[in-house]
Amino acid sequence: MPLGTESRWLRRFATGAPPRMRLLCLPHAGGSASFFHDWGHAFGDDVEVLAVRYPGRQERIAEEPWTELEQLAAAIADELPPYLDAPLAIFGHSMGATLGYEITLRLAARYGTVPALLMVSCRRAPHLLTPRTAAFGTDEELVAEIKRMGGTDSVLLDDPALRELVLPAIRGDFCAVARYTARPGTALPCPVVGYVGDGDPDVAPHEVAAWSGLAPRGFELKVLPGGHFYLVDQRAALIADIRARLVAQR
């Protein structure tokens, strides 16, 4: 796809000149590309941000949500070749971290491209994942689970009309997460950085640190204050850390 063509999968925050690097951002379950809106130009004039648009929300609200993470990762990976003329770093939060892992493996296997860096946030390593059943409860139980985890998206659920619009995508994502259960991890061909909030109610720092077993090219763990959505309150600190890592890739 020519870079001048709009992608239904990617919201592109273009730089003024050809970028030195691109950063692919993958939202959490129930999240959307707009979650990374204020990241769009936060990493300098030479880093182009690509935020992934999942089916079933915002610009793609008329589409059915996808409920298989492997299928979703394959579609996103197949969208990326036009953007691989510059090194690619990947950041995924929660469900997005699993997608980042699957996309990294597919880029290497299908296109011979190894991301410069994979950053995984608030997500257990693939071999430690446990099934989640919230996707199959009532609407009220699902809403309660989302609010327990926190994050800006939970505010939308207080409005009945908005809830009706956003809940199908959230349920589809939770279903996809529930189906992606533990499996033997595959070693990654790039360095990995793990991020987690020190008060995350579901994911402990040592569980994120277990990604080190899949990172023979190097692993670092960064623990920041906060819960599962630490990256909202700790935006400045997180962006500064990521920016430094992207600069180091020069």
Side-chain angles (χ1 to χ4, degrees):
M1 176 187 298
L3 286 185
T5 303
E6 180 74 4
S7 167
R8 68 185 180 123
W9 284 98
L10 302 172
R11 183 178 296 176
R12 179 175 171 240
F13 297 87
T15 54
R20 173 186 62 84
M21 173 172 278
R22 290 189 171 94
L23 174 63
L24 181 72
C25 296
L26 296 146
H28 52 281
S32 62
S34 63
F35 185 77
F36 294 105
H37 178 77
D38 60 358
W39 289 36
H41 300 288
F43 302 100
D45 294 338
D46 59 350
V47 176
E48 182 175 275
V49 172
L50 305 171
V52 173
R53 296 165 161 161
Y54 300 146
R57 66 217 74 191
Q58 294 190 331
E59 300 94 334
R60 305 182 67 181
I61 190 93
E63 300 178 39
E64 287 293 321
W66 292 18
T67 57
E68 298 287 345
L69 291 189
E70 292 93 337
Q71 180 187 28
L72 194 56
I76 297 167
D78 288 345
E79 194 78 3
L80 291 173
Y83 303 91
L84 299 179
D85 57 327
L88 180 74
I90 299 175
F91 179 94
H93 178 59
S94 197
M95 180 185 82
T98 296
L99 286 172
Y101 165 77
E102 291 286 346
I103 290 167
T104 296
L105 296 179
R106 282 165 172 76
L107 288 177
R110 295 184 183 184
Y111 302 108
T113 296
V114 174
L117 183 65
L118 172 63
M119 293 168 278
V120 293
S121 172
C122 291
R123 185 70 166 153
R124 294 179 180 89
H127 56 288
L128 295 181
L129 293 175
T130 53
R132 301 290 300 276
T133 58
F136 307 108
T138 65
D139 286 354
E140 289 71 24
E141 289 170 335
L142 184 55
V143 168
E145 172 71 4
I146 296 161
K147 290 190 172 185
R148 182 184 71 86
M149 299 300 292
T152 55
D153 305 67
S154 62
V155 177
L156 299 175
L157 301 173
D158 294 328
D159 184 314
L162 289 176
R163 178 189 293 196
E164 186 177 348
L165 284 175
V166 302
L167 211 54
I170 294 172
R171 183 175 291 281
D173 288 353
F174 270 71
C175 181
V177 170
R179 290 178 173 178
Y180 189 95
T181 54
R183 73 276 317 278
T186 300
L188 289 155
C190 63
V192 179
V193 179
Y195 294 95
V196 66
D198 61 5
D200 191 309
D202 283 348
V203 185
H206 75 270
E207 293 174 309
V208 178
W211 283 91
S212 62
L214 305 181
R217 303 279 182 170
F219 177 83
E220 290 185 53
L221 177 67
K222 182 77 172 180
V223 182
L224 291 168
H228 194 68
F229 286 92
Y230 73 91
L231 66 176
V232 176
D233 292 336
Q234 298 297 319
R235 175 189 179 276
L238 177 60
I239 283 178
D241 187 84
I242 295 173
R243 185 189 297 120
R245 296 180 190 280
L246 299 184
V247 168
Q249 298 296 322
R250 287 178 176 167

